[in-house]
Amino acid sequence: MKKRLGIISLFILLFIAFIVIWNFSYKKGLEEAYIPIAEEVPVSTIPSEKGVFARSEFALEYLNMPIDEEHQRSLATYYDNRAYPGAPPSIPHELLKGERGIGGKACLQCHQNGGFVEKFNAYAPVTPHPELINCRQCHVAQNTQTLFTDTNFAEIHPPKVGVNSALPGSPPMMPHDIQMRENCLSCHAGPAAPKEIRVTHPERINCRQCHVPDIRELVDTEIFTRTNTHQNE
Ligand code: HEC
Ligand code: HEC
Ligand code: HEC
Ligand code: HEC
């Protein structure tokens, strides 16, 4: 009798062990196979290229944003507001009441992330440098719509766009410096970006992986010859 009880309880124990182990492996199987690497290993960036990623959290939103044809900026209006390409643009709108300060939050409420401003009937351009909080140190308000007097300053022409690719379809070189232009998406994506330079692929994130600065030196390719037709006479 004892022997039989022993065998039965041994089988019961084996059966329970089987159920426990089977249950455990079944539950394990239900867990997702995906391991979120990004959460555990911090993604490191090259310090000088950090700015490229500054707005990458919005990249997918930019991709899915419809284009508002009625309120697009063009490069012509973009340059219009700058003394020369790369100069700080003047503030083309009235300053809000009591806005006597240096800028900071008063300006960043619209210029940190942009968005449509009913009052000015335009999208606020996103600032590439929200960390330089003394905005009005460099950006001055427009007090007059016209020049007091004509000047004969030579115009500095901006680099051309659409002609910077080595081959048709290859990534164009950046025709501009990277200093103060590290934060690519601030100017190249979203509804306030001038339509000629609005990027079709904001979701590619690491812009400088494919786009290199144009560092070609200007070299003379022509040999100067005097066009003096009287020389041999
Ligand atoms: C209520 C939102 C709002 C506030 C506050 C605001 N702006 Fe603007 N800003 C705009 C909009 C919208 C435009 C685009 C105007 C246009 O295109 O006609 C603009 C345009 C500009 C531009 C021209 C950008 C370019 O690319 O030509 C500058 C510079 C600027 N603002 C600076 C400032 C500064 C400095 C402050 C703080 C003193 C400020 N703004 C506060 C909404 C705002
Ligand atoms: C040290 C000077 C300086 C300070 C301070 C500064 N900016 Fe600028 N800002 C510039 C220059 C220079 C440009 C032109 C950049 C270029 O074209 O490469 C510019 C461009 C801009 C633009 C236009 C971006 C575009 O689409 O080209 C906006 C908007 C702007 N700044 C907003 C601000 C705001 C808001 C602040 C304060 C939080 C601020 N800036 C502080 C110098 C400055
Ligand atoms: C302050 C605004 C601003 C920032 C920031 C900026 N750009 Fe630009 N980008 C421009 C403008 C304006 C042009 C048009 C040519 C010019 O005026 O320099 C341009 C032109 C280009 C072009 C040439 C497009 C063509 O069709 O030929 C490329 C490529 C480009 N930028 C890539 C970048 C990358 C990559 C970054 C980030 C490292 C960047 N840009 C940051 C304003 C900006
Ligand atoms: C995987 C490579 C790659 C990456 C990463 C990349 N680009 Fe491009 N980019 C290209 C190619 C290729 C073209 C040319 C597209 C064509 O001619 O159809 C281009 C074209 C452009 C243009 C010209 C206008 C257009 O959209 O065709 C701009 C501006 C630009 N890229 C900016 C950017 C910015 C800003 C980023 C970062 C968010 C970026 N690119 C990331 C490959 C890349």
Side-chain angles (χ1 to χ4, degrees):
M1 188 63 192
K2 249 193 185 166
K3 203 175 169 195
R4 206 178 283 172
L5 261 183
I7 290 173
I8 288 174
S9 48
L10 181 70
F11 271 100
I12 287 175
L13 268 181
L14 277 176
F15 191 63
I16 289 172
F18 168 74
I19 288 178
V20 168
I21 290 169
W22 183 80
N23 224 3
F24 180 75
S25 72
Y26 177 72
K27 288 255 168 66
K28 266 274 173 222
L30 284 186
E31 272 175 26
E32 265 186 86
Y34 174 71
I35 302 163
I37 294 167
E39 272 171 28
E40 282 152 27
V41 187
V43 179
S44 50
T45 49
I46 304 168
S48 65
E49 296 189 2
K50 204 163 145 254
V52 172
F53 305 97
R55 298 189 61 76
S56 55
E57 61 185 297
F58 303 108
L60 281 180
E61 278 173 52
Y62 283 136
L63 179 68
N64 297 323
M65 242 176 230
I67 294 174
D68 184 350
E69 307 260 354
E70 309 235 312
H71 299 98
Q72 282 198 98
R73 286 208 296 171
S74 68
L75 275 180
T77 53
Y78 178 92
Y79 294 130
D80 237 17
N81 194 20
R82 287 149 171 81
Y84 52 86
S90 58
I91 307 172
H93 53 71
E94 66 192 81
L95 297 178
L96 300 181
K97 234 197 288 173
E99 214 178 86
R100 294 249 163 76
I102 52 167
K105 274 196 196 132
C107 311
L108 288 177
Q109 59 175 315
C110 294
H111 287 288
Q112 178 125 38
N113 290 318
F116 191 71
V117 181
E118 207 80 52
K119 198 167 156 203
F120 304 148
N121 192 30
Y123 286 93
V126 175
T127 175
H129 38 253
E131 70 287 354
L132 302 178
I133 52 164
N134 195 347
C135 313
R136 291 175 66 187
Q137 174 194 358
C138 305
H139 296 285
V140 294
Q142 286 175 3
N143 293 325
T144 163
Q145 293 301 313
T146 53
L147 290 174
F148 301 120
T149 172
D150 276 342
T151 67
N152 59 355
F153 286 167
E155 221 180 294
I156 301 174
H157 295 289
K160 289 199 167 60
V161 296
V163 293
N164 302 303
S165 312
L167 301 165
S170 62
M173 287 185 285
M174 284 180 255
H176 54 66
D177 259 334
I178 312 182
Q179 190 180 18
M180 279 193 84
R181 289 198 171 182
E182 300 91 350
N183 185 345
C184 318
L185 287 178
S186 66
C187 298
H188 283 284
K195 56 175 188 266
E196 295 91 340
I197 57 163
R198 193 173 163 171
V199 62
T200 46
H201 43 266
E203 79 288 2
R204 288 188 196 161
I205 308 276
N206 190 358
C207 316
R208 289 181 60 183
Q209 184 186 3
C210 302
H211 295 282
V212 294
D214 184 356
I215 50 162
R216 285 175 303 175
E217 303 236 347
L218 290 176
V219 278
D220 282 339
T221 49
E222 252 178 312
I223 294 168
F224 177 73
T225 42
R226 191 185 297 275
T227 52
N228 186 350
T229 45
H230 301 292
Q231 213 171 28
N232 301 326
E233 279 175 15

